[in-house]
Amino acid sequence: MSHSQSPLPFEPELLPALGLDRSEAAHDALLRRALPAEAGVWDELREPRGGALREAWRRFADLMPLPPDGVDVAGDLDRRVGQVADRIRADGVTHNVFSEHGVASRPWSLELLPLLIEPADWAAIASGVEQRAALLEAMLGDLYGPQRLLHEGLLPPALLMRHTGWLRPMIGVPPAGGLRLHIVAFDIARGPDGRWWVVAQRTQGPSGLGYVLHNRIVVSRQFPEAFRELRVQHIASSYRRLLDTLEQGARDVAGGATPRIVLLTPGAYSETYFEHAYLARYLGLPLVEGGDLTVRADRLYLKTVEGLEPVHGLLRRLDDDWCDPLELRPDSALGVPGLLQAARAGSVVMANALGSAFLESPAIQGFLPGIAERLLGESLRLPSLPTWWCGEAAAWGAVRGSLEGKLVRSTYPQGGRTSQVREMTAAQIDGDPDAWTVQGRLRFSRAPIWGDGMLSPRPAMVRVYAIADGRGHWHVLPGGMTRVARREDGSVSMQRGGTSLDTWVLTDGPVDTFSMLPPRLSVDDIAARRRPVASRAGENLFWLGRYTERTEQLVRLARTTLTLIDADSDAGVPVHRAVSALAVRLGLAPPGVPSLAQAPHLFERALLAALGDVDGAFSIGFNLHALMRAAQGLRERLSSEQWGLIVGMQERFRALATAPEGELPPTAQVLPALDRLAIELAALTGAQTDRMTRDHGWRLLAVGRLLERLIHVAARFEAFVEHGALASPAGIDLLLELFDSAITFRARYQRHDDLLAIADLLALDDANPRAFAGVLRRLRTELRKLPGGGDAQQPLLARLPAEGAGLTLEALRGADDAALAALLLDLARRLGGTAAALADDIGERYFTLAEGLEQRV
């Protein structure tokens, strides 16, 4: 049978005529649409002789879903590729890519077909990985303790002393909880002979666990029958074990009480930030940045809106050298000053402990066989790539004349990690041989990748994870993150265009049906596990509320203004001046532009030009971007639907506002876009109101929304009263439109356009959520529920009127329109200033412990 791509698909109705059943059709599609196998590499899909499907893939094909009517197997697989991409987009799974132009967020790349690993292969992998994890833990214990490996010449001192990951301050310091390594990752690949080789190891904060989990959820749902009948081993127990081991050590630090454990991330610009948020949510841990933590009296604390809360365990996704600017990198804005001192005091359990980065050097691989014999009394079960550290004269001499076909890597970190260097000459290495390591090149096995109706074999490498159980044993997560390169000499790195696969470990024995649900909780556990709101998270929620409300108010004003320009209305000069002044004050138009009364179409062009200005601190474009930035710091708190809504709004509006140079988007195109944006913002408001837990963070979000609304209500009243726009029915109609209160006004007051009626509905009515009194009523309610009790709340409440809007209907008795206008103008100015001052007070009370960039307002 030929294995070249078939030019003709098989239609389901043709299968009986061809003598093919469903299973045979799937087999035939996989084989006929697979590109020819490459010589000299291991083909994961096909047997080397005869080209038949390997046993695991034959069984997988037997269990593939039946295509819908009228669709062949290949077409169905193409359809499923689209479903995977849709699921990635819907869940907001991203990966940040760094370039000379900055940081760009792109959708995570996941292939449809999994990598299948047979039980015998996995047994060998798991045994070798467990042994290596135990070896690395033993090495750290020796090198930060008695240092027998150095004294006996099993490891050259230069590999430690010159490596920035060797932390002298940690020598002789036993780790809290007893473990230096809780989790270790190994990048392994299958060579041409079918053997698995260790390519690299990660010990600081191994990445990928969140992506592994999400990959499994997405791909297993595409092939549920195959996943079940192939007896694919589940992975949940490994995540539970990681958390249990960390909690076990942290409980001792907490004196037997329920410990508080957090997941430390570098922040939203980390390349794998999504998985940090996803993993934190799955494990039930607060996601924190360095600025959320502080060290006081050698103990680590979380800064929360209720004050400092002790932290006993740290699941760390921040590399060692960034962790403490006092003792490590002084330029780090990501770490926690004093964290090393807390580690030395034994007051916090860290996974992983500081000081393991030097183990990631490729040069270490060449010395592991001898070290394994010395520390474990065993030979390594999984081989490493042939490795020559050039700082060893004999090793460098043996390989100096044969660099072609080998990899040259930096021994010590360059730009944060050891890296591969292309076109390195022997003469260059001679200048500093310690700095370079030569490794043999392994031709990785080829995994089948489905796309565009065909199977393409691509080089694959698997990252597997070993997790300590706290009792001296290691367990390997049955699966991992498989990454593939686009070509032979390409990188499997996701930063350089690689893509990922789910990894299915097949088992002959029972499938682990463990779930992440822990044993039954006690009342004390429930009380201790209430999630604190970090100061940074509280600040982001506060601004999320403000930016949502501000954007909504600006969209309504922009729609009203553009409609007024194009409408054949009887609005007079006062109305045009009021709307112009309000638009300029709120940033929709630049200062100095002629008003609507002077040059309406010039004002229109200025407004259209400013809509998408991301540098204008009050433009719609800037506020949508700021809204997304605040939400980005809250990924573990927001649902994928809410995040997708925010990203979609920002992207669609940016596309609208990005016109060719010198051109403006036409009003006829902008108005429908603003209408859609208003609906999306209403949906976002609904999600914030009805789909978020009402903890202290949500209270701060609500307070932020209400303060922003109060500011905008005050600005509208001030502009319309100051310019005399309420003297005409057109001005009153426009103000009612801005307040979204026209229907209520006409139903209540019918044909009256009295200023007193406006004051009653838009200022004094506490049942109107957009009136002064309505906003203030809700604001007082939410302020009373903020943390800190009366001592914290009373100064905030004292800024507001004790009840109502601070002005009663009785106080307006006998006032003519001029006196009434003066009272409303004074009230608007007072309450607008009060809202701004109150926002500052809240920041000082609840966010002063949060560090980072100031918000633009």
Side-chain angles (χ1 to χ4, degrees):
M1 180 184 291
S2 170
H3 304 305
S4 61
Q5 181 185 355
S6 171
L8 296 173
F10 285 104
E11 299 294 342
E13 57 269 21
L14 298 179
L15 294 182
L18 294 169
L20 297 175
D21 60 17
R22 181 185 92 168
S23 172
E24 290 173 323
H27 289 205
D28 197 78
L30 292 181
L31 286 173
R32 288 173 58 83
R33 291 180 176 272
L35 295 178
E38 298 180 52
V41 295
W42 183 273
D43 188 344
E44 298 286 350
L45 178 71
R46 293 164 292 200
E47 296 285 357
R49 295 183 180 180
L53 293 177
R54 294 188 183 275
E55 174 63 17
W57 279 104
R58 185 190 63 75
R59 293 166 58 204
F60 180 88
D62 290 343
L63 298 164
M64 283 173 57
L66 183 68
D69 290 343
V71 179
D72 68 339
V73 173
D76 185 52
L77 290 174
D78 283 341
R79 181 179 63 87
R80 291 178 182 278
V81 168
Q83 289 179 343
V84 168
D86 290 344
R87 185 71 264 165
I88 294 292
R89 283 191 293 270
D91 290 347
V93 189
T94 56
H95 184 254
N96 292 333
V97 179
F98 297 91
S99 69
E100 59 184 10
H101 305 295
V103 183
S105 181
R106 65 164 183 160
W108 178 248
S109 182
L110 173 62
E111 300 296 338
L112 173 65
L113 298 179
L115 179 74
L116 306 181
I117 301 180
E118 296 272 22
D121 284 329
W122 184 252
I125 291 170
S127 175
V129 166
E130 289 168 7
Q131 180 198 43
R132 281 179 172 261
L135 176 61
L136 297 182
E137 175 72 19
M139 285 179 66
L140 288 175
D142 176 79
L143 293 170
Y144 283 105
Q147 298 186 338
R148 294 189 301 269
L149 298 178
L150 295 180
H151 297 316
E152 296 174 14
L154 291 171
L155 192 68
L159 286 184
L160 258 64
M161 306 307 175
R162 190 172 165 184
H163 200 293
T164 57
W166 167 247
L167 302 184
R168 292 174 178 80
M170 303 307 293
I171 295 176
V173 178
L179 283 174
R180 287 182 167 84
L181 298 176
H182 291 73
I183 178 170
V184 186
F186 296 90
D187 291 332
I188 64 174
R190 197 199 297 262
D193 60 354
R195 294 180 68 198
W196 290 91
W197 297 72
V198 175
V199 178
Q201 55 200 29
R202 294 285 179 255
T203 56
Q204 297 184 76
S207 66
L209 279 176
Y211 291 122
V212 168
L213 184 63
H214 193 271
N215 286 359
R216 170 58 53 87
I217 292 171
V218 173
V219 174
S220 63
R221 289 175 179 172
Q222 290 296 324
F223 307 103
E225 187 179 357
F227 184 81
R228 182 179 63 254
E229 297 301 327
L230 288 176
R231 306 182 66 79
V232 180
Q233 194 58 273
H234 296 187
I235 60 177
S237 61
S238 295
Y239 292 85
R240 182 73 246 170
R241 180 174 290 111
L242 173 62
L243 194 56
D244 286 346
T245 303
L246 190 51
E247 282 187 342
Q248 177 183 323
R251 193 175 295 274
D252 294 336
V253 171
T258 301
R260 174 171 288 111
I261 300 172
V262 299
L263 194 155
L264 175 62
T265 174
Y269 294 110
S270 165
E271 63 186 67
T272 56
Y273 179 70
F274 166 82
E275 73 140 341
H276 302 175
Y278 191 81
L279 190 60
R281 185 185 303 162
Y282 183 69
L283 297 177
L285 301 178
L287 183 67
V288 304
E289 298 179 19
D292 295 323
L293 302 172
T294 185
V295 175
R296 307 283 174 89
D298 296 343
R299 289 190 173 275
L300 187 64
Y301 291 90
L302 175 64
K303 305 169 186 176
T304 79
V305 296
E306 297 182 80
L308 298 180
E309 299 284 347
V311 173
H312 311 101
L314 201 64
L315 182 55
R316 186 166 59 87
R317 291 303 313 275
L318 182 64
D319 283 351
D320 286 8
D321 53 347
W322 297 97
C323 281
D324 188 343
L326 286 183
E327 298 193 52
L328 300 174
R329 288 188 60 143
D331 62 335
S332 172
L334 305 176
V336 186
L339 186 59
L340 257 70
Q341 182 56 34
R344 284 193 293 266
S347 62
V348 60
V349 175
M350 281 193 277
N352 287 332
L354 295 165
S356 68
F358 70 92
L359 290 174
E360 298 181 355
S361 171
I364 294 289
Q365 298 290 338
F367 298 93
L368 289 182
I371 295 174
E373 292 285 356
R374 173 65 179 84
L375 295 183
L376 304 180
E378 301 172 351
S379 299
L380 288 177
R381 297 167 197 153
L382 276 181
S384 302
L385 295 180
T387 303
W388 299 267
W389 177 52
C390 299
E392 201 170 42
W396 176 222
V399 78
R400 190 180 190 282
S402 56
L403 291 179
E404 187 175 352
K406 296 182 175 63
L407 303 175
V408 178
R409 300 185 185 276
S410 57
T411 302
Y412 311 112
Q414 294 184 342
R417 294 279 190 189
T418 55
S419 56
Q420 178 180 333
V421 181
R422 300 180 187 272
E423 300 179 2
M424 192 75 178
T425 66
Q428 290 173 308
I429 295 175
D430 283 335
D432 186 6
D434 285 11
W436 304 103
T437 299
V438 178
Q439 287 189 311
R441 187 185 295 271
L442 180 70
R443 296 198 69 195
F444 296 169
S445 67
R446 299 313 196 243
I449 306 299
W450 184 272
D452 297 326
M454 70 174 67
L455 275 175
S456 304
R458 292 188 188 168
M461 182 168 69
V462 185
R463 174 164 292 185
V464 295
Y465 302 85
I467 298 168
D469 65 3
R471 297 184 295 275
H473 301 290
W474 289 84
H475 303 265
V476 182
L477 182 148
M481 185 170 67
T482 299
R483 293 168 293 168
V484 297
R486 297 190 179 276
R487 58 184 186 277
E488 171 70 36
D489 61 345
S491 171
V492 297
S493 168
M494 303 300 287
Q495 281 286 320
R496 298 186 177 93
T499 185
S500 71
L501 283 69
D502 190 16
T503 309
W504 288 13
V505 172
L506 314 186
T507 179
D508 293 328
V511 173
D512 184 358
T513 57
F514 179 87
S515 77
M516 271 295 291
L517 294 175
R520 182 181 176 87
L521 294 171
S522 68
V523 172
D524 291 338
D525 288 331
I526 294 293
R529 287 174 185 264
R530 296 190 186 279
R531 185 161 78 167
V533 179
S535 295
R536 177 187 55 84
E539 186 174 24
N540 278 327
L541 285 163
F542 178 75
W543 280 99
L544 183 68
R546 292 196 67 176
Y547 285 132
T548 303
E549 180 68 24
R550 183 184 297 177
T551 308
E552 189 174 349
Q553 300 285 357
L554 290 175
V555 167
R556 181 172 289 275
L557 178 59
R559 291 164 64 199
T560 301
T561 305
L562 290 173
T563 303
L564 176 65
I565 293 171
D566 288 348
D568 184 17
S569 70
D570 57 353
V573 171
V575 175
H576 284 90
R577 286 177 176 169
V579 173
S580 302
L582 187 59
V584 170
R585 175 175 176 176
L586 298 180
L588 281 179
V593 65
S595 73
L596 283 170
Q598 297 169 312
H601 290 291
L602 185 59
F603 192 89
E604 178 184 35
R605 288 181 60 82
L607 190 150
L608 292 173
L611 283 178
D613 181 11
V614 295
D615 294 321
F618 291 99
S619 71
I620 292 176
F622 172 85
N623 281 283
L624 281 173
H625 179 72
L627 172 61
M628 189 174 75
R629 188 176 59 192
Q632 201 167 30
L634 299 164
R635 285 297 300 273
E636 82 283 11
R637 284 179 167 265
L638 302 181
S639 68
S640 58
E641 292 82 5
Q642 192 171 163
W643 171 252
L645 187 60
I646 292 169
V647 172
M649 286 191 307
Q650 201 262 350
E651 289 180 348
R652 281 187 289 273
F653 195 79
R654 182 174 57 189
L656 168 73
T658 306
E661 187 174 354
E663 297 183 19
L664 294 174
T667 301
Q669 183 180 348
V670 169
L671 281 172
L674 291 174
D675 289 341
R676 175 172 181 166
L677 184 55
I679 294 172
E680 291 172 330
L681 285 164
L684 180 60
T685 300
Q688 293 173 356
T689 303
D690 294 333
R691 296 192 177 185
M692 295 180 70
T693 302
R694 280 161 165 69
D695 60 2
H696 291 316
W698 184 88
R699 301 289 174 200
L700 288 165
L701 182 150
V703 167
R705 281 190 64 92
L706 293 168
L707 287 176
E708 195 66 34
R709 183 172 296 180
L710 189 58
I711 289 170
H712 280 260
V713 167
R716 289 169 182 173
F717 256 121
E718 189 173 344
F720 273 70
V721 173
E722 199 170 37
H723 291 277
L726 298 181
S728 68
I732 289 177
D733 287 344
L734 204 59
L735 186 64
L736 290 169
E737 173 66 26
L738 289 174
F739 273 75
D740 195 18
S741 298
I743 294 176
T744 303
F745 186 85
R746 295 304 173 198
R748 182 180 298 180
Y749 306 106
Q750 298 174 357
R751 289 172 294 173
H752 293 279
D753 287 327
D754 298 356
L755 188 55
L756 183 61
I758 288 290
D760 178 45
L761 180 63
L762 303 186
L764 308 181
D765 187 355
D766 65 1
N768 184 352
R770 298 184 182 275
F772 279 135
V775 175
L776 290 168
R777 177 180 58 81
R778 288 188 57 204
L779 188 55
R780 283 188 287 265
T781 298
E782 301 303 339
L783 287 175
R784 290 190 180 100
K785 295 178 180 178
L786 289 178
D791 292 342
Q793 298 159 2
Q794 191 53 44
L796 304 178
L797 290 166
R799 284 196 176 274
L800 302 177
E803 59 181 354
L807 183 68
T808 65
L809 187 61
E810 186 62 31
L812 304 182
R813 186 182 297 276
D816 59 15
D817 281 356
L820 190 54
L823 287 170
L824 290 176
L825 183 61
D826 177 67
L827 180 65
R829 287 172 175 168
R830 280 191 289 109
L831 291 180
T834 294
L838 192 52
D840 291 340
D841 290 346
I842 288 172
E844 183 178 347
R845 170 65 183 84
Y846 295 107
F847 311 142
T848 50
L849 292 177
E851 299 171 3
L853 298 176
E854 293 182 358
Q855 298 279 3
R856 295 177 63 180
V857 296

